[in-house]
Amino acid sequence: MKLWLVRHAQPLIDAGVCYGATDVAADTDATVAAAQALVQQLPVGMVMRVSSLQRCEQLAYAVQGLRPDLSYEIDTRLAEMNFGCWEGQRWDAISPEAYDAWTADFAGHRFGGQESVAEFMGRVARVWDEFQCQKRDSIWITHAG
């Protein structure tokens, strides 16, 4: 069994901004180009699992438009990590003390009361476990995280 991991196209947000769970769109032209390249590689009839964030759904929709045999299902567990109070901030504007707090407890630190790396990894692991039980090829359209 094979798992295809595909990242969304370039999001429409300034470079250097933390945008994990922030629901920003992706560049339309880049999304179309990615879909065109991807559809040439995928076997017939696969079901795509797709993050609930619009930048991923845009790509799934574009793929399905080119290949109607490929359906998709939204799976909120594949959404990017929620960086809480860091969302929308420039990475270089986040204080060294805030970075230190994260690295001191990398797995357990919660950004402004939001999600920790361990919680993020746990929800993605549940999708992974389901994939392994299904014993069939799958494609996930998701994030770099």
Side-chain angles (χ1 to χ4, degrees):
M1 95 190 133
K2 185 182 232 181
L3 176 61
W4 299 73
L5 296 174
V6 178
R7 183 179 186 254
H8 57 79
Q10 180 65 42
L12 297 174
I13 194 163
D14 291 338
V17 173
C18 177
Y19 62 90
T22 303
D23 197 9
V24 296
D27 178 86
T28 301
D29 292 338
T31 297
V32 169
Q36 289 170 337
L38 184 57
V39 297
Q40 297 175 27
Q41 307 293 320
L42 297 176
V44 173
M46 291 182 77
V47 175
M48 299 177 279
R49 283 189 174 239
V50 180
S51 161
S52 55
L53 299 178
Q54 66 177 312
R55 55 193 183 264
C56 293
E57 191 169 4
Q58 282 176 265
L59 181 54
Y61 184 76
V63 166
Q64 190 177 48
L66 296 168
R67 290 274 306 276
D69 65 294
L70 301 172
S71 61
Y72 70 91
E73 300 169 356
I74 299 297
D75 193 326
T76 58
R77 298 171 298 176
L78 293 177
E80 181 61 284
M81 187 168 145
N82 188 333
F83 286 95
C85 59
W86 290 13
E87 293 281 335
Q89 290 191 52
R90 292 193 48 78
W91 285 103
D92 60 8
I94 298 168
S95 73
E97 295 80 20
Y99 280 112
D100 290 346
W102 183 22
T103 57
D105 183 17
F106 185 76
H109 180 77
R110 299 179 88 211
F111 302 88
Q114 293 298 316
E115 190 168 43
S116 70
V117 170
E119 290 165 330
F120 166 71
M121 296 297 290
R123 68 177 159 82
V124 174
R126 289 187 289 280
V127 185
W128 171 254
D129 291 344
E130 289 173 13
F131 162 70
Q132 290 187 304
C133 290
Q134 292 172 353
K135 299 188 186 314
R136 64 179 175 162
D137 291 353
S138 185
I139 176 174
W140 296 359
I141 296 179
T142 188
H143 309 272

